Amino acid sequence: MAMLPQSPEPVVAPLSQPQQGAGAGTTAGLGPAALPGPALAPTPVSERPWMSLWRIFTLNRKAMVGICIVGFFFLVAIFGPFFIHRDPSALSNDVLVPPSSSHWLGTTQTGQDIFSQLVVGTRVSILWGMATGLVVTAISVLVGLCAGYLGGIVDEVLSLLINVFLVLPSFPLAVLLAAYVPFKGPLTVAVVITLTSWAYQARVLRAQTLSLRRRDFVEAARSGGESTWRIIFFEIFPNEIAIVAAGFVGTAIYVILAAAGLEFLGLGDVTVVDWGTMFYWAQNNDALLLGAWWWFAAPGLCIALLGAGLALINFGIDEVANPRLRSEARPSKRLLRQMLARSLGGGPGSETAPVGASRSLG
Amino acid sequence: MRHVLRRLGFYLVALWASITLNFIIPRLIPGDPAGALMARFQGRMTPQAIHALELQFGISHDPLWVQYIQYLGNLLHGDLGTSFTYFPTPVATVLAQELPWTLALVGMSVLISFVLGSLLGVFIAWRRGSFLDNVLPPFLTFFSAIPYFWLALIALYLLAYTLRWFPVNGGYDTSLTVALTPDFLLSALNHALLPGFTIVLASISGWMLGMRNAMITTLTEDYVLLAEAKGLKEGRVMFSYAARNAILPNVTGFALSLGFVVAGSLLTEVVFSYPGVGFALLQAAQNSDYPLLQGIFLLIALAVLGANFLADLAYLVLDPRVR
């Protein structure tokens, strides 16, 4: 299972590995983890896959905390702007005021209220972040499943494409693209990020599809005369829904970070109020050297919290999928000895060990 | 050997892809952003320089394949065009000045982060359920969910601006001349400490979690049990038996993470006004300096591909199965 045919990658990690960067890193196990092994048992789930996904979320404490954090931000994004009566871009004479009762998070150099900016910006950032995450996920599902199921020349070409995009540094490529596009704005940022970040998830799904395509239920569907598209999207896809969900969560983190990074460099529309452009203005007005820590603290804390919330959800999915990852103590040495003694039927010290055991990779 | 050649072939394809992307992007984007910019430089450049720029931007009347061959030819001669921001310095010269800074800062930080993160992963997997195992992953994950540049801003504000433990910006004390003197090296190190620290802090959790999760799986293997039962020293079981096998996914994952870490580091450089490629990236992005942007992308792609190839070679040493 570890050796994927046709894949230029030498070995697909048997268990989770750092992914799309240490930061977006929290697809942690789920990505590749789900390839072999016990993870997310890819038995045909005829019973509603959505329900099992919901069980994953409610069973695990980390996932629950994550859901609460992310849920809070969604509520702010949806309802928050209705409670803001100050125009977030309105100038005032309260210049660079630290957080106080009239300006909860202080003001900018031109007297704009940072709390209003933050709440209004939350809607823009989350809306675009999630929408971009969805599109990226859709593309990687399409590419990954087609490559995995169709095989042959299609797989060769798509795999090469996936692997090339995996090793190309996606952020500098995004910067290059965003700089050339003449219209700046959230849409440009979203398209640029989509183009540069679909590959990771596609690789994970391709590997999973490869392992599913020879299962009995797929064979049955094929001999039953179902069309290829139906098999891919109605037989195989539902079995990968948990991986897709985890991938979406990981992608969403990456998208939000990358968007903030692009806008920080001034490649977004700087007149739109969102978390990234708040950074841009703070940096451009030397907020730091003016000692106005509140200016860049607020949006950064929001991104960090939202990112941590999403990461916790993925930890949760991971642990439910692979119980071995939970934080439980390993059995004590004495217990190990007893287990070994029992399984070998000899004493604990029996020197029957094959030399060079470390070479066998299990 | 066949494996090495196959990987080498793959990286050549990837390199070709990045060069070709670099060639195509300006020609695919609607409108003529480059042409508008070129107009600004009319009369300030020699006709040859303008012709070279036209090639780069695709404002040429030759058929596409002729342009492509000319473009490749220029690249082979190390000609990346002329920077707008640092006019009339060629892009290659600008990059040559800035690359050593980035290589030293980012290279060292990535190395420290990888080694330290993997070691931490080994230890918390070994002592699973311990205090560290419960605290470290969520704690460091929080840091990795933060945008690099924001972490850098906070560190800069607290440690450099308020406490004055570190210099606020730059890569060295500007009163010193750039030379290999002890004074200069010390000053450069002093300026690199804080940016390096934030890069390590932001990127370490990925390596640590990857290592922990792989290690936990490896620790359940029979040969580890056997090694423990034989009464081998703890350190030997931990490193020569378990960690050696568990590190493989982390080495594979290197490829996927590197691009991200490098991107984050570039933004960190921006915050610290560090005289590296990241700072040039900011200048280029804000001034629409397309030749410099393209040069930076090519350079980073080359560096990331090279590092990945090295990781592949390391994999070869670590995993006898692929030999």
Side-chain angles (χ1 to χ4, degrees):
Chain A
M1 172 74 72
M3 289 292 197
L4 289 178
Q6 299 149 351
S7 162
E9 293 292 319
V11 167
V12 167
L15 254 184
S16 70
Q17 53 171 285
Q19 17 356 93
Q20 183 112 8
T26 26
T27 4
L30 227 125
L35 307 186
L40 292 176
T43 43
V45 259
S46 47
E47 74 274 10
R48 296 148 295 181
W50 301 106
M51 283 312 287
S52 63
L53 207 59
W54 177 245
R55 268 216 334 274
I56 288 177
F57 286 148
T58 47
L59 265 178
N60 188 281
R61 199 157 35 120
K62 281 183 188 158
M64 217 40 225
V65 175
I67 294 227
C68 288
I69 297 177
V70 175
F72 169 76
F73 277 104
F74 269 99
L75 287 180
V76 171
I78 297 170
F79 300 109
F82 296 127
F83 296 96
I84 298 293
H85 302 299
R86 232 190 284 246
D87 177 0
S89 307
L91 312 181
S92 75
N93 291 327
D94 303 337
V95 170
L96 281 182
V97 182
S100 65
S101 57
S102 60
H103 297 286
W104 289 357
L105 292 175
T107 59
T108 69
Q109 202 177 20
T110 44
Q112 295 152 329
D113 183 55
I114 291 182
F115 181 72
S116 316
Q117 290 197 327
L118 195 68
V119 173
V120 172
T122 301
R123 180 180 276 184
V124 181
S125 285
I126 289 200
L127 179 78
W128 281 102
M130 293 299 148
T132 315
L134 272 181
V135 176
V136 173
T137 307
I139 292 181
S140 45
V141 165
L142 194 68
V143 175
L145 265 71
C146 287
Y149 182 76
L150 296 176
I153 185 76
V154 179
D155 186 30
E156 293 282 343
V157 173
L158 288 180
S159 289
L160 187 65
L161 201 65
I162 291 173
N163 285 306
V164 166
F165 268 91
L166 265 182
V167 289
L168 286 188
S170 57
F171 186 76
L173 183 58
V175 170
L176 186 62
L177 271 171
Y180 265 110
V181 178
F183 351 93
K184 311 277 177 230
L187 182 63
T188 312
V189 172
V191 170
V192 161
I193 292 175
T194 306
L195 287 177
T196 51
S197 64
W198 54 273
Y200 175 72
Q201 200 47 28
R203 186 178 87 148
V204 172
L205 287 171
R206 171 187 170 270
Q208 179 68 6
T209 308
L210 271 182
S211 80
L212 283 179
R213 61 187 284 212
R214 291 283 161 227
R215 294 292 170 91
D216 287 345
F217 70 97
V218 180
E219 296 282 6
R222 204 175 303 142
S223 46
E226 283 190 33
S227 73
T228 307
W229 297 115
R230 215 187 135 70
I231 295 177
I232 292 181
F233 291 104
F234 290 88
E235 301 290 345
I236 295 181
F237 177 67
N239 288 292
E240 296 177 350
I241 200 83
I243 305 174
V244 174
F248 168 71
V249 174
T251 309
I253 302 176
Y254 175 77
V255 166
I256 289 171
L257 288 179
L262 285 178
E263 290 180 336
F264 174 66
L265 288 176
L267 291 169
D269 178 355
V270 292
T271 57
V272 171
V273 176
D274 68 8
W275 295 344
T277 52
M278 287 174 78
F279 282 130
Y280 171 80
W281 287 114
Q283 172 79 1
N284 261 29
N285 288 306
D286 286 326
L288 199 84
L289 298 178
L290 295 168
W293 52 270
W294 56 88
W295 198 346
F296 53 80
L301 213 56
C302 282
I303 293 184
L305 266 179
L306 180 63
L310 290 168
L312 281 172
I313 293 180
N314 255 359
F315 273 164
I317 303 182
D318 232 10
E319 286 184 3
V320 171
N322 186 357
R324 286 195 285 191
L325 295 182
R326 290 173 203 165
S327 305
E328 289 152 5
R330 281 188 325 127
S332 73
K333 227 171 177 176
R334 207 171 48 112
L335 198 66
L336 282 174
R337 292 239 171 84
Q338 283 169 1
M339 280 161 55
L340 189 75
R342 230 175 297 135
S343 65
L344 284 182
S350 56
E351 289 288 337
T352 47
V355 188
S358 68
R359 292 245 158 176
S360 86
L361 283 127
Chain B
M1 202 57 216
R2 239 188 86 228
H3 176 74
V4 178
L5 284 180
R6 249 184 52 199
R7 295 306 293 165
L8 196 61
F10 167 70
Y11 286 120
L12 286 180
V13 171
L15 185 64
W16 169 80
S18 48
I19 291 174
T20 307
L21 272 176
N22 221 348
F23 172 79
I24 286 180
I25 287 174
R27 290 165 173 78
L28 279 188
I29 301 289
D32 190 11
L37 251 168
M38 295 259 315
R40 272 182 20 205
F41 286 88
Q42 215 73 36
R44 287 171 59 190
M45 275 191 224
T46 59
Q48 290 96 320
I50 291 199
H51 180 65
L53 272 184
E54 280 178 349
L55 279 180
Q56 211 163 7
F57 293 138
I59 320 169
S60 167
H61 307 292
D62 293 329
L64 212 56
W65 66 270
V66 177
Q67 292 180 39
Y68 189 55
I69 289 174
Q70 286 171 325
Y71 169 78
L72 288 181
N74 280 353
L75 271 190
L76 274 180
H77 291 103
D79 181 4
L80 295 168
T82 308
S83 164
F84 291 166
T85 324
Y86 302 93
F87 187 80
T89 319
V91 169
T93 316
V94 176
L95 291 179
Q97 277 165 10
E98 271 148 2
L99 188 63
W101 292 97
T102 297
L103 270 187
L105 175 68
V106 178
M108 282 307 286
S109 311
V110 169
L111 202 65
I112 292 174
S113 166
F114 181 77
V115 172
L116 205 62
S118 300
L119 277 179
L120 276 178
V122 170
F123 280 112
I124 61 173
W126 188 256
R127 307 224 178 283
R128 183 139 66 110
S130 66
F131 175 72
L132 266 187
D133 184 32
N134 279 315
V135 170
L136 224 44
F139 180 71
L140 288 181
T141 301
F142 178 75
F143 280 111
S144 72
I146 296 176
Y148 277 45
F149 60 91
W150 188 69
L151 191 65
L153 276 167
I154 296 291
L156 188 63
Y157 180 75
L158 289 179
L159 302 178
Y161 179 77
T162 311
L163 295 173
R164 303 202 173 276
W165 288 354
F166 298 97
V168 178
N169 59 25
Y172 56 94
D173 192 340
T174 41
S175 63
L176 299 168
T177 46
V178 182
L180 284 178
T181 57
D183 273 353
F184 174 76
L185 288 179
L186 263 181
S187 155
L189 184 67
N190 191 23
H191 281 76
L193 275 180
L194 196 55
F197 170 71
T198 56
I199 296 173
V200 170
L201 191 60
S203 63
I204 198 168
S205 84
W207 309 120
M208 188 189 71
L209 284 176
M211 194 64 197
R212 172 184 182 268
N213 291 354
M215 186 78 180
I216 279 170
T217 315
T218 314
L219 282 177
T220 59
E221 298 288 352
D222 287 341
Y223 60 81
V224 176
L225 197 69
L226 191 66
E228 283 192 346
K230 277 198 300 186
L232 292 183
K233 278 206 208 80
E234 207 180 3
R236 175 127 191 253
V237 181
M238 202 183 336
F239 289 106
S240 332
Y241 281 68
R244 179 168 176 196
N245 290 313
I247 195 138
L248 293 176
N250 243 12
V251 176
T252 318
F254 195 77
L256 308 180
S257 311
L258 195 65
F260 191 83
V261 177
V262 168
S265 315
L266 295 181
L267 291 173
T268 306
E269 283 185 7
V270 171
V271 171
F272 284 97
S273 310
Y274 201 77
V277 175
F279 196 57
L281 185 73
L282 177 74
Q283 301 278 317
Q286 295 196 334
N287 299 320
S288 303
D289 187 346
Y290 302 116
L292 189 54
L293 270 178
Q294 290 189 313
I296 290 173
F297 169 68
L298 258 193
L299 188 73
I300 296 173
L302 201 63
V304 168
L305 293 179
N308 273 320
F309 186 60
L310 287 183
D312 271 359
L313 291 184
Y315 199 99
L316 210 62
V317 175
L318 289 168
D319 187 354
R321 286 175 307 181
V322 293
R323 271 177 218 159

